[in-house]
Amino acid sequence: MNSVTVRVPAKVNLQLAVGPLRDDGYHDLVNVFHAVSIFDEVTATAETGMSVRVEGESADQVPEDDDNLAIQAALALARHAGRSYGVNLVIRKAIPVAGGMAGGSADAAAALVACNELWGLGLPIEDLLEIAADLGSDVPFALLGGTAVGTGRGERLTPLEVGGTFHWVFALADGGLSTARVYAECDRLREATGEKVAWPQAADPLLAALRRGDAKALGAELANDLQPAAVMLRRSLARTLEAGREHGALGDLVSGSGPTCAFLADSEAHAEQLALSLRAAGVARDVITAYGPVPGPTVV
């Protein structure tokens, strides 16, 4: 086998609860991850060295060297296997770059799956998840897909039962937001306001809404502790979120560290109508629809 292509989805955080700042500089998190039908594709082709090329949406904003998380994933997999391997990775982007939808993590997960197949390693998902956890907090879920609760830094995952399909509208912003900067702003705001930060927990009403497939109930429970920080750093997001509510979204939130805004609709038709309304309102660079949950990386 000389080439393997893997398709991998974006994610939206239905709940992102951020605990107090730890001594190691991280936060304990509770993440309710949900994979949605916006996909990158990663093609791995055998070669002597390690290289990466990026095509598609905002490709010029993605590094094509060892700073690329997909290359780091391939290197980590080779180290785990105890062999010297080479690969050329071609990443075709559709997931927003630095948009809070884990595009870089998705590409890393796809690289793990593609290289595992290309190199004939046959490693089980448990081994890949262990490697993924060392690459970044969102990479394990990108490898798993579906819907799951993540704890710790987000890397300890428990799959969730979901009773149906949910329809989404995503408003994309110009430019990205640095995840590290958003977390730092979250800490700054909490210190400035004297907020007492509770230990993060998954919200039972949200989990129940997922089990029932109840979009209206889920919309009322969407929550993101990073949202005030993201809005503070990108004030235009407040107007985007307000526009979604004005045009009938069941729920709205900033996805992850932003700046992508996510809106829940009650049907595919409602999602299409909401997308048209948001485009007409001029509150986003682009507006796209998607559904979830969807599976994780798939060889195509």
Side-chain angles (χ1 to χ4, degrees):
M1 186 177 298
N2 291 323
S3 182
V4 176
T5 297
V6 171
R7 188 176 74 159
V8 62
K11 62 82 181 167
V12 60
N13 299 83
L14 308 180
Q15 179 190 0
L16 176 48
V18 180
L21 184 65
R22 303 188 322 204
D23 291 342
D24 63 2
Y26 287 100
H27 303 77
D28 283 296
L29 305 176
V30 168
N31 258 312
V32 180
F33 294 110
H34 183 69
V36 295
S37 60
I38 303 168
F39 300 98
D40 282 359
E41 282 191 355
V42 176
T43 297
T45 304
E47 70 168 38
T48 53
M50 292 271 188
S51 61
V52 61
R53 187 174 82 252
V54 185
E55 303 173 349
E57 176 78 19
S58 302
D60 60 335
Q61 300 175 33
V62 182
E64 293 186 327
D65 55 21
D66 287 353
D67 288 335
N68 187 292
L69 200 57
I71 279 289
Q72 293 175 27
L75 289 166
L77 182 63
R79 285 195 300 271
H80 182 89
R83 296 278 300 279
S84 178
Y85 292 101
V87 69
N88 170 250
L89 299 174
V90 176
I91 301 172
R92 298 173 188 85
K93 295 294 299 176
I95 302 172
V97 175
M101 300 189 76
S105 296
D107 297 338
L112 288 174
V113 172
C115 291
N116 188 40
E117 187 82 10
L118 179 72
W119 297 336
L121 299 178
L123 294 177
I125 185 66
E126 292 79 11
D127 285 21
L128 298 183
L129 284 167
E130 183 180 330
I131 298 167
D134 290 334
L135 293 167
S137 299
D138 287 343
V139 183
F141 175 73
L143 198 58
L144 187 68
T147 305
V149 175
T151 56
R153 289 182 290 111
E155 79 283 4
R156 297 196 295 270
L157 296 169
T158 303
L160 291 175
E161 177 187 351
V162 177
T165 298
F166 296 97
H167 296 277
W168 297 91
V169 178
F170 295 98
L172 312 185
D174 279 315
L177 272 176
S178 159
T179 299
R181 190 177 174 210
V182 174
Y183 271 97
E185 181 66 8
C186 176
D187 293 333
R188 188 194 70 78
L189 288 173
R190 286 173 164 180
E191 184 176 358
T193 60
E195 178 184 349
K196 299 298 183 185
V197 182
W199 189 262
Q201 295 184 3
D204 288 337
L206 183 141
L207 302 183
L210 284 169
R211 285 193 298 270
R212 296 195 307 269
D214 186 336
K216 185 175 181 180
L218 179 62
E221 296 297 331
L222 299 176
N224 180 2
D225 286 353
L226 292 180
Q227 184 163 310
V231 171
M232 184 65 72
L233 294 171
R234 187 73 63 84
R235 300 299 179 95
S236 60
L237 298 182
R239 174 63 190 131
T240 304
L241 294 166
E242 181 184 15
R245 292 190 292 272
E246 288 174 352
H247 291 288
L250 299 180
D252 62 275
L253 81 171
V254 173
S255 180
S257 57
T260 301
C261 292
F263 303 96
L264 184 59
D266 64 11
S267 65
E268 184 178 3
H270 181 214
E272 293 293 348
Q273 183 57 54
L274 178 56
L276 286 173
S277 299
L278 289 171
R279 289 189 193 102
V283 293
R285 171 177 61 82
D286 195 11
V287 181
I288 53 179
T289 61
Y291 60 88
V294 296
T298 304
V299 176
V300 296

